[in-house]
Amino acid sequence: MIIDVHGHYTTAPAALGVWRDLQIASLQDPGRAPKAADLKISDDELRESIETNQLQKMRERGSDLTIFSPRASFMAHHIGDFAVSSAWAAICNELCYRVASLYPEHFVGAAMLPQSPGVDLASCIPELEKCVREYGFVGLNLNPDPSGGHWTSPPLTDRHWYPLYEKMVELDVPAMVHVSTSCNACFHTTGAHYLNADTTAFMQCLNGDLFKDFPTLKFLIPHGGGAVPYHWGRFRGLAQEMKKPLLEEHLLHNIFFDTCVYHQPGINLLTEVIPVDNILFASEMIGAVRGIDPQTGHFFDDTKRYIEAASLTAQQRWQIYEGNARRVFPRLDASLKVRGL
């Protein structure tokens, strides 16, 4: 199977954005806040939004299954308070659940959390429980910076995050460490903030000892790990200076990287530097980079082409396409086995 571990519902019907605009407009007058029941999106509208977009491209490019979560830039945890985030997360997660229910052979959900700056992470547990136990979701997106580019939260190794980690371990679900919209003018959302966050999350974990407390906790760092593969020597050297174990022992039992890297040299570097056991196939289509590369004539985010062209054995490609995803997402593996796959 070709399993894409990084998909967002970027093509949701326009009514979702209209509802969100009303919610934001009501922040100064909570009595005018829209109710969840006010959002009306039919199954036919969901089908149209998927079949002419993600599903069409999956068929064209030869992928089978996508781990599907709400649009990352829409999470916007810096807007409003916990009640606002909670209502918004519940709506977005339900839409992904409905898509997965309509197309169970092609989509499985991952949860958006109702994070809010300064709020105890235990507040996110009920939504995560619902998504995993009731919706059958197999993972979650964890925003290390719910302030939207100002980095007011403690590092991921801080005990502030431990209530969520304890629940993740109990449910046996990994987290994709994925920020949302930047409201800091210094950081373009997809060109800087996302990649900064990928690099920052890895360094936070290197600098701490989180996985001594949570040896089975799993993080997926998207977008190829940001700067991590390119500066692997720097991180190895820093770990040595900090008297940390080798990175293979210190982090790579718990941290994984996806292939949302949009040119062949980048994928070549990723697969040459990072152990193949730690790389999972992903495209993030239809996402931040949607155009056609004039140098190749193919879409930038058609990442399967890069994997096929990389210097990999058939066994290594299977690991990247399927084997590693089934190991990192145990609930996905279990659901596939129930289907005889």
Side-chain angles (χ1 to χ4, degrees), residues 8-296:
H8 298 301
Y9 198 0
T10 55
T11 61
L16 178 65
V18 172
W19 190 96
R20 176 63 162 172
D21 289 343
L22 291 172
Q23 186 191 41
I24 293 171
S26 73
L27 291 178
Q28 302 305 316
D29 184 4
R32 298 175 57 195
K35 297 178 175 60
D38 295 337
L39 178 61
K40 308 291 186 184
I41 297 177
S42 69
D43 284 355
D44 284 343
E45 290 176 291
L46 295 181
R47 289 188 183 96
E48 182 180 3
S49 73
I50 292 295
E51 290 184 9
T52 60
N53 291 294
Q54 283 88 350
L55 189 55
Q56 177 178 312
K57 285 185 165 48
M58 287 170 66
R59 288 168 172 158
E60 290 172 354
R61 300 176 186 182
S63 63
D64 300 303
L65 177 69
T66 296
I67 297 178
F68 202 55
S69 62
R71 185 174 183 173
S73 63
F74 267 26
M75 294 192 298
H77 292 121
H78 61 279
I79 293 176
D81 56 13
F82 172 74
V84 170
S85 285
S86 183
W88 180 231
I91 280 176
C92 292
N93 285 330
E94 184 184 23
L95 285 181
C96 288
Y97 167 63
R98 288 176 61 193
V99 169
S101 298
L102 291 170
Y103 302 98
E105 294 184 356
H106 299 291
F107 296 94
V108 63
M112 167 184 166
L113 298 178
Q115 292 177 245
S116 188
V119 176
D120 189 335
L121 265 294
S123 62
C124 295
I125 290 175
E127 182 68 20
L128 179 59
E129 287 259 14
K130 178 187 72 179
C131 287
V132 173
R133 299 194 188 280
E134 297 180 25
Y135 290 173
F137 284 13
V138 299
L140 63 136
N141 292 339
L142 175 62
N143 186 350
D145 173 36
S147 71
H150 295 290
W151 292 92
T152 58
S153 294
L156 291 170
T157 51
D158 190 270
R159 288 186 173 274
H160 165 78
W161 304 91
Y162 275 30
L164 179 63
Y165 296 161
E166 289 165 0
K167 182 55 61 173
M168 287 172 56
V169 168
E170 176 190 328
L171 295 173
D172 205 9
V173 290
M176 177 176 285
V177 182
H178 203 310
V179 288
S180 185
T181 299
S182 170
C183 54
N184 183 333
C186 294
F187 304 121
H188 182 275
T189 293
T190 55
H193 186 43
Y194 282 14
L195 306 182
N196 294 346
D198 303 334
T199 310
T200 298
F202 185 83
M203 187 63 211
Q204 288 178 357
C205 292
L206 189 158
N207 197 40
D209 293 298
L210 174 64
F211 303 119
K212 287 184 178 179
D213 289 344
F214 296 98
T216 63
L217 187 68
K218 297 184 183 71
F219 287 160
L220 178 60
I221 298 184
H223 318 116
V228 173
Y230 190 75
H231 286 289
W232 195 244
R234 175 180 290 257
F235 290 113
R236 287 175 55 236
L238 288 170
Q240 181 173 290
E241 291 180 12
M242 295 175 184
K243 310 300 181 186
K244 299 292 186 183
L246 295 174
L247 292 183
E248 288 77 5
E249 294 299 318
H250 185 42
L251 299 179
L252 294 189
H253 295 300
N254 306 86
I255 290 181
F256 304 85
F257 304 87
D258 77 13
T259 64
C260 291
V261 178
Y262 297 145
H263 65 147
Q264 190 67 52
I267 288 291
N268 293 346
L269 174 73
L270 177 68
T271 56
E272 290 169 10
V273 172
I274 302 298
V276 169
D277 283 350
N278 292 79
I279 302 173
L280 282 69
F281 176 71
S283 68
E284 199 180 6
M285 63 90 177
I286 302 164
V289 181
R290 304 186 182 193
I292 292 176
D293 184 345
Q295 295 181 5
T296 67

